[in-house]
């Protein structure tokens, strides 16, 4: 097979090495427009784990790379005059030029033809001559550009500016430093990559960059600016740029986040940054490119299918990994772009947030890497929450620290999330609800939030939804709340809502969102838009009389919640139900004072919430659940949700329960672990308002990490509590937390569980 690689960076060179090893008969040429010893980067970072993976590809190459590595274990975070150190990370640095030289030498040894200082402008100049054309020409790929309409690159130009420099200083750790100036904050990412040199990346939001006048500076002035800014770290060392081909302020770049819809066309295939990019804050772009090369070589040397079929298999395999890494990189990249949100944190929490910003590394992993650091952090966090701590004692994990809202104090940070059970009889909670809520109320969670409980019969989603519109329902709820209070310390919140246009439907397990086959009730909404066009009932647009009636129903439900002895009420303004339908521009097309601007769209929900707050006891908290993202073009965005949360905070909301979606069937959510946590993080840290995070949180480590990093104050778990009513008690036992209260009837089970876990841990140590 005759193959040409357009681009002689790590992706193209590593592919040529592996392909030549796998099939020595291959005729491979690598074409590079620059000189062999030219590079516009400084150092490259790999983890120890990454190198273990590459060792099986070519031990000779890996051995040569490792001979030139600078290795370190620590991460240093400099913030507000403090240095926070975390160990056990296992990183390796190597100069980009040295890595290229190693790859070039190995490729030549294997018989790969290398052509430098050779320009290429059109992949079709080669596609007729070669069996395969590899577009390994980087983020600004000429290959990709030729067939952009086919490859369909999704390019997201990020808002921070950064400058990539080098310097001769000695760094003992991967270093993050944060400097406040009169114009705003600047971030530093620095690491040693050989005995002499270190990479030195300075980053700042474009707004700060412009305020500082850097757009008017030439490269020498920009470098001098950075030298002065980080003089305390440089200690007289100079900063150097190897991008002298860029003029003026162009030495400050913006990161392009790239992911192509298609990675191949006929006999042209994209590799590495040409197909996808990974932000430098996660340091895995070269790793991804090399893994792409490994995968492409494997499929090309398989016997399954023709070349296009094999290339499709290559994309299917690698696209998943690229998406995973880009998701982690997006979280971390956004954290640095929005560093202003976090600068109010104390250095301990700020550093922990830096270390876990990707959501790939959590509290448990930090503890494996550096138990002393994590234990010290946990003691600091517990003391901040009012718990007694002392050096040498076993620290309390963050999820088991107390939290207070008004007069309500919770013993930990775990919430049983609201989940519709569709098992009521004419709105009446039944024995099922007593058992369902009672068992979870004894399971250790600090707060239990009921399913959406409707303010009237025509406010229900389904005939199986619970209500609180009459005395009998109130008494049934009182029975459940009293049982939970009598058998543990869990607090109970009533979620109050109205289905709006999503009402009068069949039970979820029969036909979710489908209208009733008979007995439908009329629906109301801000605008006459059916939830499922052509299927759902079309609601009537509410008039003033409807608004007054429904507002009175919410007030009556709140009064009944007082009588039922609930500890908190939650106003349901999420998921496309009535109040959410007012807030979203997708579902509110009104032209009166209740439609149009975001403030107008929130007007009615706020009117209802304020009168509920007036009748709810002042010493008891109120929550509001919102959809922070509609996941549809033209709908509410996370930035809009900050404005919504701000309005409810001003109206007396004590905590914001941050969910997303379910407003429109056209939604396209980006799912993943803890996928809604960034929305909670943004609201909490921009508004300084407590939040509840929810959405694919299912491990104790998730909860510990979210709480420790300041991304939320409480974590709501739904399905884990369906599978295990005592999820929190079990999580406590697994982490060695013994003072969490168990029901007295279950103490024998507590003792046995703790003993078995201790025995298993000892056996694992001795294995």
């Amino acid at each position: 097979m005759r193959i040409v690689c357009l681009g002689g960076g790590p992706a193209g060179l590593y592919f040529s090495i592996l392909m030549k090893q796998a099939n020595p008969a291959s005729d491979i040429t690598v074409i590079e427009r620059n000189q062999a010893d030219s590079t516009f980067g400084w150092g490259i970072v790999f983890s120890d784990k990454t190198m273990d993976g590459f060792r099986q590809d070519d031990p000779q190459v890996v051995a040569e790379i490792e001979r030139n590595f600078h290795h370190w274990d620590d991460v240093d975070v400099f913030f507000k005059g403090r240095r926070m150190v975390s160990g056990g990370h296992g990183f390796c640095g190597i100069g980009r030029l040295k890595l290229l030289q190693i790859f070039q030498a190995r490729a030549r040894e294997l018989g790969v033809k290398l052509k430098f200082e050779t320009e290429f402008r059109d992949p079709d100049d080669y596609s007729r001559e070669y069996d395969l054309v590899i577009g390994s020409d980087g983020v600004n790929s000429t290959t990709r550009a030729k067939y952009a309409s086919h490859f369909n690159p999704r390019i997201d130009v990020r808002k921070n500016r950064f400058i990539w420099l080098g310097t001769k200083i000695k760094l003992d750790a991967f270093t993050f430093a944060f400097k406040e100036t009169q114009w705003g904050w600047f971030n530093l990412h620095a690491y040693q990559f050989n005995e002499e040199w270190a990479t030195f990346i300075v980053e700042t939001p474009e707004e700060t960059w412009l305020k500082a006048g850097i757009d008017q500076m030439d490269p020498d002035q920009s470098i001098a600016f950075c030298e002065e800014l980080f003089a305390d770290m440089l200690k007289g060392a100079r900063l150097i740029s190897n991008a002298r081909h860029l003029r003026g302020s162009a030495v400050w770049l913006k990161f392009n986040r790239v992911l192509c819809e298609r990675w191949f066309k006929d006999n042209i295939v994209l590799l590495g940054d040409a197909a996808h990019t990974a932000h430098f804050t996660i340091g895995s772009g070269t790793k991804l490119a090399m893994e792409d090369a490994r995968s492409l070589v494997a499929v090309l040397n398989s016997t399954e299918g023709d070349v296009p079929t094999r290339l499709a298999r290559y994309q299917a395999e690698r696209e998943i990994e690229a998406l995973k890494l880009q998701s982690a990189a997006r979280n971390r990249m956004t954290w640095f772009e929005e560093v202003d949100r976090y600068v109010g944190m104390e250095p301990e929490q700020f550093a922990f947030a830096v270390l876990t910003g990707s959501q790939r590394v959590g509290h448990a992993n930090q503890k494996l890497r550096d138990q002393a650091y994590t234990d010290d952090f946990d003691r600091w966090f517990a003391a901040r929450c009012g718990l007694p701590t002392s050096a040498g004692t076993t620290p309390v994990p963050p999820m088991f620290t107390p939290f207070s809202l008004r007069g309500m104090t919770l013993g930990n940070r775990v919430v049983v999330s609201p989940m519709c059970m569709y098992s009521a009889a004419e709105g009446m909670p039944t024995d099922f609800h007593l058992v369902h809520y009672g068992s979870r109320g004894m399971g250790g969670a600090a707060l239990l939030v009921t399913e959406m409980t409707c303010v009237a019969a025509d406010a229900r989603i389904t005939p199986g939804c619970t209500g609180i519109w009459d005395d009998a329902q109130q008494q049934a709820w009182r029975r459940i709340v009293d049982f939970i209070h009598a058998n543990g310390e869990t607090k109970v919140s009533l979620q109050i809502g109205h289905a709006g246009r999503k009402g009068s439907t069949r039970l979820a397990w029969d036909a979710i969102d489908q209208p009733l086959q008979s007995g439908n009730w009329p629906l109301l909404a801000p605008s006459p838009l059916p939830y499922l066009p052509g299927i759902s009932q079309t609601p009537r647009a509410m008039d003033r009389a409807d608004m007054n009636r429904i507002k009175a129903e919410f007030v009556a439900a709140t009064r009944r919640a007082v009588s039922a002895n609930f500890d908190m009420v939650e106003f349901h303004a999420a998921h496309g139900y009535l109040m959410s339908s007012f807030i979203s521009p997708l579902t509110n097309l009104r032209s009166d004072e209740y439609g149009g601007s975001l403030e107008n769209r929130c007007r009615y929900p706020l009117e209802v919430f304020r009168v509920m707050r007036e009748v709810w006891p002042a010493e008891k908290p109120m929550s509001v659940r919102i959809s922070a993202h509609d996941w549809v073009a033209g709908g509410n965005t996370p930035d809009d949700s900050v404005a919504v949360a701000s309005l409810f905070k001003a109206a007396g909301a004590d905590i914001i329960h941050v969910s997303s979606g379910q407003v429109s069937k056209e939604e396209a959510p980006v799912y993943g672990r803890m996928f809604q946590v960034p929305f909670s993080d943004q609201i909490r840290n921009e508004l300084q308002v407590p939040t509840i995070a929810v959405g694919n949180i299912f491990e104790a480590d998730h909860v510990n990490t979210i709480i420790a990093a300041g991304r939320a104050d409480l974590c709501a778990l739904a399905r884990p509590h369906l599978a295990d009513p005592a999820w929190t008690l079990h999580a406590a036992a697994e982490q060695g937390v013994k003072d969490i209260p168990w029901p007295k009837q279950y103490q024998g089970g507590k003792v046995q569980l703790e003993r078995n876990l201790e025995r298993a841990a000892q056996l694992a140590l001795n294995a």
Side-chain angles (χ1 to χ4, degrees):
M1 179 179 274
R2 296 193 71 219
I3 302 171
V4 62
C5 296
L6 303 181
L13 287 169
Y14 198 62
F15 168 83
S16 73
I17 292 167
L18 299 187
M19 187 65 185
K20 198 68 174 173
Q21 283 182 320
N23 188 347
S26 297
D27 181 348
I28 305 174
T29 301
V30 177
I31 299 176
E32 169 57 43
R33 57 171 55 96
N34 297 301
Q35 297 174 351
D37 59 353
S38 290
T39 183
F40 303 113
W42 287 92
I44 292 172
V45 177
F46 296 108
S47 69
D48 291 342
K49 182 179 179 182
T50 294
M51 295 314 298
D52 289 340
F54 289 138
R55 202 177 312 281
Q56 62 185 344
D57 295 341
D58 189 328
Q60 181 177 327
V61 164
V62 170
E64 185 62 24
I65 291 172
E66 290 181 335
R67 274 194 289 272
N68 290 274
F69 263 156
H70 184 86
H71 188 277
W72 68 92
D73 281 321
D74 291 351
V75 172
D76 285 354
V77 179
F78 292 86
F79 179 63
K80 293 184 178 178
R82 298 274 302 282
R83 177 191 180 202
M84 316 300 296
V85 182
S86 166
H89 297 277
F91 287 117
C92 317
I94 187 172
R96 179 179 170 84
L97 179 57
K98 187 62 182 179
L99 181 70
L100 292 176
Q101 290 170 341
I102 292 170
F103 284 171
Q104 290 166 10
R106 181 62 171 150
R108 285 194 185 96
E109 179 184 335
L110 292 169
V112 176
K113 295 188 282 288
L114 305 181
K115 294 184 179 181
F116 295 98
E117 299 180 75
T118 303
E119 190 60 61
F120 51 87
R121 293 184 174 86
D122 189 337
D124 285 339
D125 292 342
Y126 305 91
S127 62
R128 289 178 289 272
E129 180 182 353
Y130 289 87
D131 299 311
L132 191 66
V133 178
I134 309 287
S136 52
D137 46 346
V139 63
N140 298 312
S141 170
T142 298
T143 311
R144 187 183 68 224
K146 172 65 186 288
Y147 292 109
S149 61
H150 174 82
F151 292 123
N152 190 22
R154 278 70 58 90
I155 301 177
D156 178 14
V157 181
R158 303 305 300 183
K159 62 185 182 179
N160 270 17
R161 292 276 185 173
F162 67 93
I163 185 169
W164 206 298
L165 303 169
T167 186
K168 292 184 177 181
I169 59 172
K170 302 293 185 183
L171 294 172
D172 297 326
F174 195 108
T175 300
F176 296 104
F178 300 84
K179 292 282 188 178
E180 185 178 18
T181 70
Q182 60 185 305
W183 309 287
W185 285 83
F186 286 78
N187 316 327
L188 170 67
H189 314 252
Y191 54 89
Q192 197 94 27
F193 62 81
N194 63 30
E195 289 300 316
E196 188 176 10
W197 287 93
T199 292
F200 205 90
I201 305 170
V202 180
E203 177 191 22
T204 192
E206 184 163 43
E207 181 182 359
T208 303
W209 184 77
L210 291 170
K211 286 180 180 177
I214 302 174
D215 60 316
Q216 302 300 314
M217 297 180 185
D218 63 27
D220 289 337
Q221 290 170 324
S222 284
I223 290 171
F225 178 91
C226 294
E227 286 175 342
E228 182 178 354
L229 184 61
F230 291 100
D232 59 331
M233 305 197 71
L234 290 167
K235 296 180 174 59
R238 302 301 304 273
L239 293 174
I240 299 169
S241 171
N242 61 7
R244 291 296 182 177
H245 61 297
L246 299 175
R247 297 178 179 275
S249 61
V251 292
W252 290 83
L253 306 174
K254 282 187 172 183
F255 180 76
N256 288 351
R257 182 175 180 267
V258 177
L259 184 64
C260 290
E261 180 181 356
R262 301 177 190 88
W263 293 21
F264 67 95
K265 181 185 187 300
D266 302 325
N267 67 333
I268 300 171
V269 62
L270 302 179
L271 192 69
D273 281 356
H276 53 72
T277 57
H279 195 258
F280 59 81
T281 54
I282 209 163
S284 297
T286 302
K287 167 184 177 289
L288 261 185
M290 292 168 65
E291 289 174 342
D292 283 356
R294 174 199 293 160
S295 175
L296 183 55
V297 168
V299 301
L300 289 175
N301 287 282
S302 71
T303 58
E304 299 176 13
D306 56 14
V307 170
T309 300
R310 298 178 199 179
L311 295 181
R313 198 160 69 247
Y314 155 70
Q315 177 178 343
E317 176 184 317
R318 293 304 303 155
E319 188 174 34
I320 294 170
E321 294 306 310
L323 282 168
K324 287 179 182 177
L325 197 66
Q326 282 199 343
S327 176
R330 181 182 62 246
N331 294 331
R332 197 164 178 82
M333 172 180 65
T334 302
W335 197 96
F336 282 96
E337 289 176 343
E338 305 294 346
V339 71
D340 279 358
R341 288 180 193 162
Y342 309 105
V343 294
M345 291 179 172
E346 295 178 59
E348 288 84 354
Q349 188 168 49
F350 184 90
F352 189 87
V354 170
L355 293 168
T356 59
S358 70
Q359 293 190 177
R360 290 197 309 170
V361 175
H363 182 272
N365 191 269
Q366 285 293 331
K367 194 162 189 172
L368 282 174
R369 296 176 185 222
D370 189 342
Q371 181 166 349
Y373 163 78
T374 309
D375 285 352
D376 284 346
F377 173 83
D378 288 351
R379 291 187 190 96
W380 170 85
F381 192 89
R384 183 169 170 261
C385 297
L387 294 179
T389 61
S390 60
T393 60
T394 301
V396 176
M399 67 181 287
F400 291 107
T401 57
F403 181 72
S404 295
L405 290 168
R406 297 201 183 214
M408 181 181 77
T409 296
L410 304 175
N412 60 63
R413 307 303 185 98
V414 182
V415 178
V416 178
S417 190
M419 295 171 280
C420 288
M421 294 290 104
Y422 306 112
S423 299
E426 296 300 324
M428 179 75 72
T430 64
D431 286 348
F432 168 84
H433 293 89
L434 176 65
V435 174
H436 170 68
Y437 288 121
S439 59
R440 284 148 188 86
M442 294 190 296
L447 178 65
L448 183 156
V449 183
T450 70
E451 62 201 274
M452 186 175 89
T453 301
C454 304
V455 297
D458 63 357
R460 292 174 295 167
I461 309 166
T462 74
C465 291
T466 56
I468 192 164
W469 65 79
D470 64 29
D471 290 346
Q473 293 162 356
Q474 174 188 308
Q475 289 305 312
W477 279 117
R478 177 67 187 249
R479 178 185 178 217
I480 293 168
V481 174
D482 285 351
F483 176 87
I484 294 171
H485 285 166
N487 288 279
E489 298 182 4
T490 298
K491 308 299 183 186
V492 191
S493 174
L494 179 69
Q495 188 186 77
I496 302 176
H498 189 299
R501 71 175 188 153
K502 294 177 77 173
S504 193
T505 62
R506 298 167 67 182
L507 301 182
W509 44 81
D510 290 339
I512 190 168
D513 294 328
Q514 300 296 309
L516 295 172
Q517 294 174 306
S518 62
N520 283 283
W521 54 85
L523 303 180
L524 293 171
S527 300
L529 301 172
Y531 183 57
L532 301 176
I535 298 174
S536 299
Q537 181 186 157
T538 299
R540 178 170 61 82
M542 291 169 62
D543 59 23
R544 185 68 255 179
D546 298 320
M547 292 184 185
N548 289 340
R549 175 176 64 82
I550 290 174
K551 179 165 64 174
E553 289 169 347
F554 271 87
V555 171
T558 306
R559 293 185 189 277
R560 291 188 184 282
V562 177
S563 299
N565 206 24
F566 282 98
D567 303 288
M568 185 172 88
V569 294
E570 179 166 280
F571 181 60
H572 200 339
H575 297 169
Y577 298 120
L578 182 63
M579 297 302 162
S580 171
S581 292
F582 269 94
I583 295 170
S584 174
L586 301 174
T587 49
N588 183 344
L589 305 182
R590 299 176 74 99
S591 58
D592 61 6
E593 68 270 32
Y594 294 99
S597 69
L598 180 63
E599 291 74 13
N600 281 356
R601 299 197 308 272
C602 289
R603 188 184 304 275
Y604 182 63
L606 286 166
E607 284 181 7
V608 176
F609 180 81
R610 287 190 185 102
V611 293
M612 291 171 65
R613 179 73 265 184
E614 288 174 4
V615 302
W616 183 246
E619 71 277 8
K620 291 188 175 185
M622 287 186 70
S623 169
V624 178
R625 196 177 215 200
I626 66 171
S627 284
H629 199 326
D630 286 346
W631 300 107
V632 177
N636 281 332
T637 66
D639 287 342
D640 293 324
S641 75
V642 175
V644 172
S646 178
L647 291 169
F648 278 107
K649 177 186 177 185
D654 300 290
I655 194 165
I656 307 298
H657 194 163
V658 188
S659 187
S660 74
Q662 302 180 51
V663 172
S664 167
K665 277 296 186 182
E666 296 178 8
E667 68 181 7
V670 180
Y671 291 114
R673 292 181 310 145
M674 304 176 280
F675 73 106
Q676 295 176 153
V677 171
F679 309 143
S680 166
D681 183 333
Q682 181 176 0
I683 289 170
R684 181 185 187 273
N685 289 297
E686 285 194 17
L687 298 180
Q688 302 302 304
V689 62
T691 59
I692 304 173
V694 67
N696 214 11
I697 300 169
F698 54 87
E699 295 179 358
D701 183 48
H702 297 167
V703 182
N704 277 322
T705 304
I706 291 165
I707 300 304
R711 298 183 185 118
D713 299 277
L714 301 173
C715 288
L717 289 77
R719 293 175 185 179
H721 280 116
L722 292 180
D724 181 3
W727 184 90
T728 307
L729 294 179
H730 294 155
E734 288 162 1
Q735 295 175 76
V737 177
K738 296 187 176 183
D739 59 355
I740 186 171
W742 282 56
K744 55 182 178 290
Q745 299 91 336
Y746 298 166
Q747 287 297 314
K750 175 180 187 289
V751 171
Q752 185 184 58
L753 175 61
E754 291 171 350
R755 184 188 303 126
N756 289 344
L757 288 168
E758 289 170 359
R759 184 180 296 120
Q762 190 60 48
L763 288 172
L765 283 175
N766 296 334

